[in-house]
């Protein structure tokens, strides 16, 4: 019977599980086999490079969170995943049930699942369910070389649970504050006597009130998958999912007046809801089906193909505070509606060749990918729809007649060609280089703007890196990467925004010594982004020119003793806008530390406890606003009642700290999430 969270096992095996299941240890040569046998701290990843590569031997900035850690911290939303990793800011908009919010190294990021893009445009947001994930990886900085369109911050890749060789399963029940209720099941194993076909069924129901008054969400989730060993050289994995969300959206927007600024009437309660809960709604249905195919053609070459079709249906009505009226007591509200659907198809084809000599290991990757996005919907926007009392908002909203919604259609096709070569020399040097060409056709047709924009955006992206593999496990590296983000949205004139481009230089070191179950990484980075977006005081998006972000990251995960595990991170980020002012939302300093302790072998065998602290330094909220720093504590306790039953308690924001997480452009502020208490009982077989 496998141990539950905190079970003492080599960290290498734990971390390798958080990477796509397709990743395997380098074993094509005797050297790689000997290394894996002598050093259990080797971490393997196929996410960053699309080829099997030890994480500590990759001149790229990658962090990962595996299934064990997701369970230990009871991660409920994707943006909770990297609270204890360097370079990632989350929770800056509070607890939002509309979408997941991240900033990576001061910039936005793209979200992928199983290596394929999840399309998010405007309010059409695809939300991965964390219960259905095996791991989550973050690739920091520009990533276009292998993944095509991506913001300058990088990408987050959610890795789905896959079928297992052995029969196993679990049932979990949760309950907590804010009327949290959850039931989940997960079963997998061989579907045939020979074991050449394997299955997995994952399902979930949960509901919970939002962090604002009169907000909530209910979710149904079901994800079947099947894996088939067609032959010794050929494997097919089919992945599918269905998810339904129904609730009242959280709109965390608050004004500086009453949050960071004092008023004659005191502070605004963090749970104050400026929406219209009797009218607002967020109904979202997302369906996906795809496959992963692998075939070993001959000794050096392997063909790999990933594809997915996804459909998102959204019916959204959302009301939010816009700006003060000037009387010191009231504020105007905005209202929006979106009723439409997104269909997307993505396919990635790869040829991977590996050659070995006495002194070298060479891995060559060729790839062709294609992405198709189609959005067909109706929309309504009103800036200054009505007026409410800031401190005691009352009343609903006048329903919007359906004939006031206007048509919007966006079509985007992107074709990418890429090549990457990775050369290892004398088991000491790793050289990495790649180039990619993208062509994106964008068509945006709006009935409201009576315009149709049809244009093609192209880009060539480069990437390179060099790393030295030290005898002592100390591996310094230097890398360069670029990003390309085509835009389908239009500005106030009806023109499509210019593509956003980014480039990054990074100097770092990765340390994973033989005999220590853990790793430490440190990196200096410098990112420049052109055609960056900013929000105007009127709430519109505009492109402001160049943004920069320079900083330092330090991250470590490892066992201090046989029973005590430490996860710690520190980030310094100096993010600046086109006018060389501090970028809003981004603190200069972030730090976190989490300790896990396993009482195995003691009088309280089966007990595991953990506690952590997260700190975010002061940040800029615009020309006139400075947001104070804050520190939040989390904790958990888990107990194995017997081999099958486990009880667990998680508390986030233990002291129920009331704090402003961030402010933006002098006109919006956001409270951080309040205390969360969730208890769970799990049965495994």
């Amino acid at each position: 019977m496998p141990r539950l969270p905190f079970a003492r096992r080599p960290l290498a095996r734990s971390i390798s599980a958080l990477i796509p299941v397709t990743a395997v240890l380098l074993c094509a040569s005797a050297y790689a086999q000997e290394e894996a046998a002598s050093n259990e701290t080797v971490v393997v990843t196929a996410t960053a490079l699309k080829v099997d590569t030890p994480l500590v031997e990759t001149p790229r900035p990658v962090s990962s969170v595996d299934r064990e850690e997701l369970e230990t911290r009871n991660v409920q939303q994707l943006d909770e995943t990297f609270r204890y990793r360097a370079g990632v800011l989350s929770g800056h908009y509070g607890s939002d049930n509309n979408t997941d919010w991240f900033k990576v190294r001061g910039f936005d990021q793209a979200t992928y699942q199983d290596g394929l893009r999840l399309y998010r445009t405007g309010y059409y947001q695809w939300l991965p369910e964390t219960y259905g994930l095996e791991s989550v990886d973050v690739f920091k900085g520009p990533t276009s070389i292998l993944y095509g369109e991506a913001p300058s911050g990088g990408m987050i890749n959610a890795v789905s649970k896959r079928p297992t060789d052995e029969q196993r399963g679990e049932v979990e029940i949760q309950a907590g504050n804010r009327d949290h209720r959850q039931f989940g099941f997960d079963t997998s194993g061989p579907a045939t006597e020979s074991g050449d076909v394997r299955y997995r069924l994952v399902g979930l129901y949960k509901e919970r009130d939002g962090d604002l008054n009169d907000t909530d969400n209910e979710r149904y989730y079901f994800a079947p998958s099947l894996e088939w060993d067609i032959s010794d050289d050929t494997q097919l994995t089919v992945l599918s999912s269905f998810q339904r969300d129904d609730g009242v959206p959280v709109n965390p927007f608050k004004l500086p007046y009453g949050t960071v600024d004092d008023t004659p009437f005191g502070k605004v309660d963090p749970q104050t809801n400026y929406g219209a809960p009797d009218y607002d709604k967020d109904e979202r249905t997302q369906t996906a089906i795809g496959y992963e195919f692998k075939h070993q053609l001959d000794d050096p070459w392997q063909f790999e193909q990933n594809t997915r079709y996804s459909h998102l249906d959204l019916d959204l009505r959302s009301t939010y505070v816009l700006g003060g009226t000037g009387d010191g007591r009231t504020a105007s509200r905005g209202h929006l509606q979106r009723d439409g659907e997104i269909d997307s198809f993505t396919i990635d084809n790869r040829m991977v060749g590996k050659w070995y000599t006495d002194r070298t290991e060479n891995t060559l990757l060729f790839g062709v990918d294609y992405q198709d996005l189609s959005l067909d919907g109706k929309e309504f926007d009103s800036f200054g729809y009505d007026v409410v009392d800031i401190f005691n908002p009352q009343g609903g909203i006048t329903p919007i007649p359906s004939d006031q919604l206007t048509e919007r259609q966006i079509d985007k096709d992107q074709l990418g060609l890429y090549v990457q070569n990775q050369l290892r020399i004398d088991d000491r040097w790793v050289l990495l280089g790649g180039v990619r060409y993208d062509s994106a056709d964008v068509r945006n047709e709006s009935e409201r703007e009576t315009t149709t924009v049809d244009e093609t955006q192209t880009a060539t992206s480069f990437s390179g890196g060099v790393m030295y593999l030290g005898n002592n496990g100390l591996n310094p590296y230097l890398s360069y990467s670029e990003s390309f983000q085509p835009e389908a949205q239009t500005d106030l004139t009806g023109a499509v925004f210019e593509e956003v481009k980014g480039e990054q230089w990074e100097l770092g070191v990765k340390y994973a010594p033989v005999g220590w179950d853990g790793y430490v990484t440190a990196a200096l980075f410098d990112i420049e982004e052109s055609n960056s977006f900013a929000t105007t005081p009127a709430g519109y998006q505009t492109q402001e020119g160049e943004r920069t972000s320079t900083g330092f990251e330090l991250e470590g995960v490892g066992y201090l003793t046989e029973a005590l595990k430490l996860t710690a991170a520190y980030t310094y980020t100096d993010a600046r806008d086109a006018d060389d002012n501090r970028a809003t939302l981004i603190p200069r300093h972030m730090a976190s530390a989490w300790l896990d302790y396993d009482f195995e072998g003691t009088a309280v065998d089966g007990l595991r406890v953990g506690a952590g602290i997260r700190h975010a330094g002061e940040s800029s909220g615009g020309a006139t606003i400075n947001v104070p720093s804050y520190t939040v504590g989390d904790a958990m306790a888990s107990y194995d009642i017997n081999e099958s039953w486990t009880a667990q308690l998680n508390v986030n924001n233990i002291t129920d700290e009331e704090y402003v997480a961030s402010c933006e452009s002098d006109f919006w502020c956001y409270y951080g999430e309040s205390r969360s208490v969730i208890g769970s009982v799990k049965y495994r077989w």
Side-chain angles (χ1 to χ4, degrees), residues 147-331:
Y147 291 96
E149 61 172 284
S152 303
M155 60 163 286
I156 288 175
N157 185 48
V159 182
S160 302
K161 290 178 175 178
R162 312 297 174 91
T164 58
D165 294 332
E166 73 282 358
Q167 187 70 46
R168 67 183 190 187
E170 70 173 37
V171 175
E172 182 181 51
I173 299 175
Q174 294 187 353
N177 67 332
R178 297 185 358 225
D179 288 332
H180 174 79
R181 294 183 292 273
Q182 177 173 312
F183 171 80
F185 67 89
D186 180 3
T187 179
S188 64
T192 61
E193 292 185 4
S194 63
D196 60 338
V197 179
R198 298 165 294 278
Y199 77 95
R200 192 159 190 168
L201 295 174
V202 183
L204 177 85
Y205 169 81
K206 69 177 177 183
E207 59 179 320
R208 195 180 198 188
D209 292 344
D211 219 16
L212 300 184
N213 296 329
D214 302 315
T215 59
D216 61 76
N217 190 69
E218 181 181 45
R219 173 173 294 177
Y220 299 87
Y221 172 79
F222 183 63
S225 59
L226 195 70
E227 190 172 78
W228 178 26
D229 296 332
I230 301 174
S231 69
D232 292 341
D233 298 324
T234 309
Q235 185 181 80
L236 175 69
T237 303
V238 179
L239 302 167
S240 63
S241 66
F242 170 84
Q243 183 172 305
R244 170 71 176 177
D245 288 282
D246 187 2
V248 177
V250 170
N251 287 300
F253 304 92
K254 299 287 194 299
L255 302 179
Y257 184 79
T259 54
V260 294
D261 295 336
D262 293 328
T263 78
F265 311 100
K267 295 288 188 178
V268 173
D269 189 287
Q271 277 69 55
T272 299
N273 183 8
Y274 292 117
D278 293 335
Y279 183 70
D280 290 351
K281 66 175 179 178
D282 184 10
E283 297 179 356
R284 182 193 323 261
T285 303
Q286 49 189 60
T287 307
I289 186 167
Y291 66 82
E292 298 174 351
F293 177 79
K294 288 186 175 183
H295 178 66
Q296 189 70 42
L297 296 171
D298 52 33
D299 191 26
W301 290 103
Q302 178 171 281
F303 173 72
E304 301 172 356
Q305 184 182 79
N306 293 10
T307 186
R308 179 173 63 235
Y309 166 78
S310 59
H311 177 84
L312 172 65
D313 192 286
L314 176 69
D315 188 0
L316 174 68
R317 299 197 297 245
S318 184
T319 309
Y320 57 95
V321 68
L322 187 62
T325 62
D327 65 3
R329 185 75 193 190
T330 62

Side-chain angles (χ1 to χ4, degrees), residues 45-90:
T45 178
T47 296
L49 304 177
K50 292 188 178 181
V51 294
D52 303 334
T53 306
L55 183 62
V56 295
E57 299 177 8
T58 301
R60 297 284 180 80
V62 183
S63 293
S64 301
V65 174
D66 64 359
R67 184 66 217 170
E68 182 176 302
E69 188 169 341
L70 293 173
E71 293 181 357
T72 297
R73 307 208 177 120
N74 195 24
V75 172
Q76 293 290 313
Q77 295 184 181
L78 193 66
D79 55 9
E80 300 176 9
T81 305
F82 296 103
R83 286 174 169 175
Y84 290 90
R85 293 296 188 273
V88 183
L89 174 67
S90 61

Side-chain angles (χ1 to χ4, degrees), residues 620-637:
S620 172
T624 63
I625 298 176
N626 286 319
V627 181
S629 64
Y630 63 88
T631 302
V632 177
D634 310 315
M636 68 80 61

Side-chain angles (χ1 to χ4, degrees), residues 6 94 117 120 160 200 245 247 262 267 301 305 340 379 385 400 504 532 559 568 610 618 628 631:
F6 304 3
R117 180 73 177 264
R120 297 181 168 193
S160 302
R200 192 159 190 168
D245 288 282
D262 293 328
K267 295 288 188 178
W301 290 103
Q305 184 182 79
E379 59 188 39
Y385 190 81
I400 309 300
Q504 172 181 263
S532 297
Y559 282 91
E618 61 88 21
T631 302

